[in-house]
Amino acid sequence: MVEECQRCKEVDEDRRTLWMSCFYEMDELGIPLTHEIVEKEDWKQKFYTMRVCKECRASWMAMIKFWFDLRETKQQSTGSGIYVRELGATIEISEEDWYKRNPGIEPVRFKADD
């Protein structure tokens, strides 16, 4: 069966399905993932899937390897008290970044107790 790659739109017969489950709503990413529910005897889990060509699967695998090897440092506080959700994490952003993302909207600030 001829299928289109959901990432690069190439059309041919060699498609693979990427499966991912991380207990997080992946819709935030804005990519064409579909939902699959897998049920076993005593559990039910939502998986995200995407049908892709061999080259796109290889790129996905390379990014997973890059992520695994990346040694990030903990985010430093900006002191703004402005927190947003970004790709599943709560991060503090600067006031300047807030206004770039949300022109004309005042942020809610959270300050740590002294």
Side-chain angles (χ1 to χ4, degrees):
M1 176 168 84
V2 175
E3 290 182 84
E4 179 180 270
C5 174
Q6 288 182 269
R7 181 172 181 246
C8 73
K9 307 302 183 202
E10 176 187 74
V11 177
D12 69 20
E13 296 180 6
D14 189 14
R15 293 292 158 262
R16 311 294 166 90
T17 301
L18 301 178
W19 290 78
M20 185 170 65
S21 180
C22 64
F23 302 103
Y24 184 76
E25 290 295 326
M26 301 301 290
D27 300 326
E28 182 177 327
L29 297 176
I31 59 178
L33 294 166
T34 56
H35 306 111
E36 304 276 338
I37 302 294
V38 175
E39 293 188 53
K40 297 291 184 183
E41 292 176 19
D42 58 348
W43 64 271
K44 181 165 94 172
Q45 177 59 46
K46 180 192 234 181
F47 284 85
Y48 294 90
T49 62
M50 182 184 290
R51 295 286 289 166
V52 296
C53 67
K54 192 179 264 187
E55 289 78 20
C56 288
R57 180 177 55 91
S59 295
W60 177 79
M61 292 174 70
M63 290 308 298
I64 296 296
K65 174 83 169 106
F66 173 78
W67 165 82
F68 184 81
D69 292 340
L70 184 66
R71 300 293 182 248
E72 296 182 36
T73 58
K74 292 283 185 187
Q75 181 197 10
Q76 298 296 314
S77 174
T78 66
S80 71
I82 304 169
Y83 294 88
V84 297
R85 293 283 290 174
E86 190 167 272
L87 299 176
T90 302
I91 63 166
E92 185 179 20
I93 62 172
S94 69
E95 188 172 300
E96 179 182 350
D97 285 340
W98 170 266
Y99 289 117
K100 281 181 187 174
R101 296 175 184 205
N102 305 282
I105 299 174
E106 288 300 313
V108 173
R109 298 173 192 269
F110 295 91
K111 294 288 185 183
D113 294 332
D114 293 327

